[in-house]
Amino acid sequence: MVKLFIATIATILTALPFLSYPSRPKPHYQYHSLFLSPSLSDNATISHHLFTLTRRPHSASTPANAAAAAHVLSTLTSLGIPARLSPYPVSLSFPFSRSLTLTPAPPAPPTTFSLTQETYPDDPYADVSSEVLPTFHAYAKSGTVIGQVAYVNYGRVEDYAVLKNMGVNVSGCIVLARYGEIYRGDIVENAYEAGAKGVIVYSDKKDYGGGAGGKGFPDDRWMPATGVQVGSVFNGAGDPTTPGWASREGCERLTEEEVEAGGDVPLIPSLPVSAADGEVILRAIGGKVAGDDWQGGEDVPVYRVGPGPGVLNLSYTGQNIISTIQNVIGVIEGAEEPDRYVILGNHRDAWTFGAVDPNSGTAALLEVAQRLEKLQKKGWKPRRTIIFCNWDAEEYGLVGSTEWVEDNREMLASRVVAYLNVDCAVSGAGFKASATPQLDQLIMQATQQVEDPDNSSQTIYESWVGASIHPSIGRLGSGGSDYAAFVQHIGVPAADVSFGGAYPVYHSMYDDFIWMQNFGDPMFKRHVAVANVWGLVALRLADEEFLPFNYISYANELQKSAEDLKVEVSGKSISLSPLLRSIEKLKAAATKIDIERKAMEEIKIWQSIWKNQPSKVRELNDRLMMAERAFTDREGLLGRPWYKHLIYAPSKHNDYGSKSFPGIDDAIEKAKSLASAESWHSVQHEVWRVARVITHASLVLEGQLT
């Protein structure tokens, strides 16, 4: 009888489709391994894409950028990936006239600066160098100002505090600041707050030119003496004339006066200049000697803070023009959950040639798309929909991605699993990653499967960790790239990966294919490695039945941030108890859903035999997906309502800086300045606000109504 029962069960199991191995589709992990196969990757193809994309300067709305968009579109469609252009008419800023004259102390004659970048000997792009926009700051204030020049180091809030302690008043001056620590828009804003009437920003040789003895490109990787870092000084996100809504034909728009009143565009003129021009200006500044940490390299004059005796005459006229930008959107539809989206994004527009920023990322995006097309030919179909987004006008202020997110806000907020960003994919050696914390573990696991492009004896993870116990993963609080609208506006889990970091020819006309070929990635192996990690993370998010999110990591990260906050409010009558209690609730909810998921995974094979329950899997995944949304607040940060996320947002005085609990941080800064009971009460209010959103995230993870 027992033998007959066993034989009957064996016959039933053999007949079940999922055990019929000859006709059974490959498990997703086999396709994921195949994605990493050297037979599918091609650094020569990546190199070709980068060469094609960087043949001409291609800033937003130019014919060259339209040609680059056409290349991305045609590549995706040739792979069988349905793709389209998603255009938006937006307000972009262009230079009309610029001049800068220095009048030093007599008897030295005045100097009128040429404000140009020079081509180099045998420059293969010399014939199209005239297409590079004149050096300027996008959305800079038009006007003519004359004043004594003062040196303000990096132009940070703390630098002005140092000047104040030195007895130096910059009110009515034109300040000279060097790039290197904060976003250029914040340099201008801080100067305005200090009473300056204009700003000149230069690239110091110590930071960008390799220091004493450093050789400029093309002889070495460093910025040449005439190189200029251009860029935007807009402190918002998206089209300045449509804050919070999509810029469509015939839509409501703010006037230039209303935009200016909004506080996100500068109120004083500014210009970027080269290291050579900056040094000339520094020689005309007298007064007290700057501190050692404000000084330049060995082969430059002693830096003094002024003001004067040198006088600058700065004139700038810009034009804001409604121009059409073009995002490129490609879609691989999911087979089982087509209404769940995994989005891969990179921007295409560049201030000049853009070999690093951003087209190393565009080349990697096309590499991922080509490999997924090869997987499709082998039978792979993603469980969830994968969307490729190639953004436009990022350089002006994350414009293309922001308009698209604002245009599709409700659909994206309800359907996006995660957004995976790559901007400057490669600028040198060394893997770097930033993410919302629930993706930490997934990124680490992916890097454990990918060979280090600079050391084949180890994985990326092993080189990334080095002598540490855990790798360093940054947070997506800065406004530095296109993840901002996804994380900070609608609360989508996100990540950003790259090789390298800050590089000396950033936003200059020397960021070309030759620089990449000689210094950034000579063999294009780092590009392949970025595509490996990027694509593998996307595949796991798109294919795994249970979303690989870990909110225990999130709770631990919030705990660390809360500990740092204790130091900030020490000695003040601020209670962090609401915040700490909410984090404990999040830990409990994260642990509970993790146990629940593991239990479902363990019994799933038997559920497949007797009764499939996809709705339970879907419901659990939705809780994991939507928990990040709960960290947002509809009112946003005080004075910065577009930024809805109360855990991660840019620092108020540095758009490149990431801040945990940004609302609390803003309130503390204000309270320290005002030193009033009311201002410290506002800090307590912000603590409660953050505690409430963390509690909401816990409720989402638990999936229970109160």
Side-chain angles (χ1 to χ4, degrees):
M1 188 68 179
V2 173
K3 289 182 179 180
L4 178 61
F5 174 76
I6 293 173
T8 302
I9 292 298
T11 301
I12 293 171
L13 293 179
T14 304
L16 288 172
F18 85 102
L19 292 177
S20 181
Y21 291 103
S23 60
R24 183 186 178 191
K26 291 181 182 178
H28 64 75
Y29 58 80
Q30 291 187 17
Y31 288 113
H32 297 181
S33 297
L34 185 59
F35 177 84
L36 298 176
S37 169
S39 64
L40 260 66
S41 64
D42 191 345
N43 54 350
T45 301
I46 291 181
S47 172
H48 173 72
H49 281 309
L50 187 63
F51 177 79
T52 301
L53 290 161
T54 59
R55 284 183 295 185
R56 294 166 62 192
H58 52 285
S59 58
S61 82
T62 62
N65 198 37
H71 176 75
V72 174
L73 181 67
S74 63
T75 300
L76 292 176
T77 54
S78 70
L79 298 172
I81 298 173
R84 67 183 186 279
L85 294 177
S86 177
Y88 291 94
V90 298
S91 177
L92 299 182
S93 170
F94 299 92
F96 180 74
S97 67
R98 310 158 301 138
S99 68
L100 182 66
T101 300
L102 170 69
T103 302
T111 298
T112 298
F113 299 99
S114 65
L115 305 177
T116 58
Q117 301 183 83
E118 297 177 1
T119 60
Y120 52 90
D122 301 318
D123 184 349
Y125 301 105
D127 61 326
V128 293
S129 62
S130 61
E131 297 180 26
V132 175
L133 289 174
T135 54
F136 81 119
H137 284 153
Y139 303 113
K141 172 76 172 177
S142 294
T144 297
V145 290
I146 301 173
Q148 288 189 319
V149 60
Y151 171 57
V152 296
N153 197 26
Y154 293 108
R156 301 166 295 185
V157 171
E158 55 264 41
D159 292 327
Y160 287 101
V162 169
L163 288 172
K164 185 176 180 180
N165 289 335
M166 293 174 68
V168 176
N169 182 6
V170 302
S171 181
C173 295
I174 295 176
V175 299
L176 176 71
R178 54 179 174 174
Y179 281 119
E181 293 293 329
I182 63 174
Y183 172 59
R184 71 189 71 79
D186 292 303
I187 293 176
V188 179
E189 173 66 18
N190 294 343
Y192 171 77
E193 294 291 340
K197 61 170 63 173
V199 184
I200 302 297
V201 189
Y202 79 104
S203 301
D204 196 290
K205 187 177 179 181
K206 181 179 180 181
D207 299 312
Y208 293 91
K215 294 182 178 180
F217 179 72
D219 298 318
D220 206 338
R221 65 191 297 267
W222 302 105
M223 178 83 94
T226 61
V228 179
Q229 182 193 131
V230 302
S232 179
V233 288
F234 178 47
N235 281 322
D239 182 346
T241 67
T242 61
W245 65 90
S247 182
R248 288 286 193 180
E249 289 289 350
C251 72
E252 176 189 9
R253 290 189 186 278
L254 301 185
T255 65
E256 289 195 17
E257 292 75 19
E258 288 172 325
V259 170
E260 193 168 282
D264 286 331
V265 295
L267 299 177
I268 54 176
S270 66
L271 272 179
V273 301
S274 66
D277 291 349
E279 184 174 322
V280 171
I281 297 171
L282 281 162
R283 291 182 185 277
I285 302 176
K288 296 180 179 179
V289 175
D292 290 344
D293 56 339
W294 286 38
Q295 295 294 328
E298 297 175 3
D299 54 349
V300 295
V302 173
Y303 291 3
R304 297 176 180 272
V305 297
V311 173
L312 283 173
N313 184 324
L314 161 64
S315 181
Y316 173 76
T317 302
Q319 292 179 316
N320 295 331
I321 301 171
I322 300 297
S323 305
T324 299
I325 62 170
Q326 298 173 324
N327 296 329
V328 183
I329 311 295
V331 180
I332 300 177
E333 188 169 309
E336 298 175 56
E337 296 184 71
D339 61 338
R340 290 294 176 263
Y341 307 150
V342 176
I343 301 179
L344 287 75
N346 153 267
H347 78 94
R348 179 188 66 258
D349 67 296
W351 282 123
T352 62
F353 296 96
V356 174
D357 183 10
N359 298 124
S360 59
T362 314
L365 183 76
L366 296 177
E367 166 71 7
V368 172
Q370 287 180 243
R371 287 200 226 170
L372 294 187
E373 183 263 347
K374 292 175 182 178
L375 290 188
Q376 285 182 296
K377 287 182 176 179
K378 295 180 181 296
W380 167 79
K381 294 181 181 179
R383 178 186 182 92
R384 302 178 185 93
T385 294
I386 295 176
I387 302 177
F388 298 96
C389 295
N390 186 228
W391 310 115
D392 202 351
E394 186 271 357
E395 296 293 5
Y396 275 86
L398 318 177
V399 178
S401 58
T402 298
E403 297 310 311
W404 193 75
V405 169
E406 290 174 346
D407 207 17
N408 299 280
R409 181 186 293 112
E410 302 310 320
M411 286 273 284
L412 296 174
S414 62
R415 296 186 176 191
V416 178
V417 169
Y419 173 72
L420 307 176
N421 190 70
V422 170
D423 191 329
C424 304
V426 180
S427 60
F431 181 77
K432 290 180 171 55
S434 297
T436 47
Q438 73 274 63
L439 295 178
D440 287 0
Q441 190 174 56
L442 176 59
I443 294 170
M444 288 188 286
Q445 289 169 349
T447 59
Q448 289 169 352
Q449 296 179 251
V450 179
E451 181 182 291
D452 183 345
D454 297 298
N455 186 349
S456 60
S457 67
Q458 60 185 10
T459 64
I460 289 176
Y461 180 81
E462 290 168 330
S463 63
W464 184 22
V465 171
S468 305
I469 300 175
H470 299 291
S472 174
I473 299 180
R475 296 301 163 216
L476 298 179
S478 79
S481 194
D482 291 299
Y483 50 74
F486 289 90
V487 178
Q488 298 156 13
H489 192 59
I490 61 173
V492 168
D496 184 274
V497 298
S498 64
F499 269 86
Y503 65 105
V505 297
Y506 174 68
H507 281 195
S508 75
M509 68 179 287
Y510 310 105
D511 181 8
D512 62 18
F513 186 82
I514 303 302
W515 190 93
M516 178 64 76
Q517 192 176 50
N518 291 345
F519 305 111
D521 192 10
M523 300 300 293
F524 286 85
K525 290 183 177 179
R526 294 166 187 159
H527 282 75
V528 172
V530 167
N532 282 342
V533 175
W534 197 7
L536 185 57
V537 171
L539 282 169
R540 289 193 58 191
L541 288 167
D543 284 344
E544 291 196 7
E545 187 162 15
F546 295 90
L547 290 177
F549 288 171
N550 184 345
Y551 278 92
I552 296 174
S553 296
Y554 216 129
N556 291 336
E557 184 72 12
L558 294 181
Q559 185 68 50
K560 293 177 188 175
S561 298
E563 294 300 322
D564 294 338
L565 195 57
K566 286 181 181 179
V567 178
E568 287 288 309
V569 299
S570 177
K572 306 297 180 183
S573 57
I574 300 296
S575 172
L576 297 182
S577 296
L579 177 62
L580 297 174
R581 287 197 301 269
S582 69
I583 294 171
E584 288 302 318
K585 290 178 183 177
L586 184 65
K587 284 182 183 179
T591 302
K592 181 179 177 182
I593 197 170
D594 195 48
I595 293 170
E596 185 179 348
R597 175 173 54 191
K598 288 175 181 177
M600 291 178 69
E601 287 174 330
E602 288 173 0
I603 65 171
K604 185 169 188 320
I605 185 171
W606 299 109
Q607 288 180 339
S608 298
I609 297 173
W610 307 115
K611 186 178 181 181
N612 192 14
Q613 295 181 305
S615 62
K616 287 192 174 183
V617 176
R618 171 85 166 202
E619 189 272 341
L620 183 139
N621 282 336
D622 281 354
R623 285 188 272 148
L624 291 167
M625 181 182 78
M626 297 302 292
E628 186 72 41
R629 315 292 197 269
F631 292 123
T632 64
D633 181 277
R634 65 173 62 89
E635 294 180 3
L637 299 179
L638 183 64
R640 298 190 284 164
W642 187 86
Y643 296 97
K644 309 294 186 187
H645 208 287
L646 299 193
I647 308 300
Y648 297 116
S651 168
K652 191 171 184 178
H653 292 287
N654 179 15
D655 195 59
Y656 287 162
S658 175
K659 279 293 183 181
S660 299
F661 310 142
I664 300 176
D665 186 72
D666 289 351
I668 289 174
E669 181 181 334
K670 186 175 181 179
K672 286 181 177 179
S673 174
L674 297 178
S676 65
E678 183 181 357
S679 62
W680 283 106
H681 179 71
S682 296
V683 174
Q684 187 67 68
H685 173 63
E686 292 297 329
V687 170
W688 276 107
R689 288 185 73 200
V690 174
R692 284 193 286 270
V693 298
I694 296 174
T695 299
H696 291 159
S698 303
L699 293 173
V700 172
L701 288 177
E702 290 173 355
Q704 299 291 328
L705 296 173
T706 57

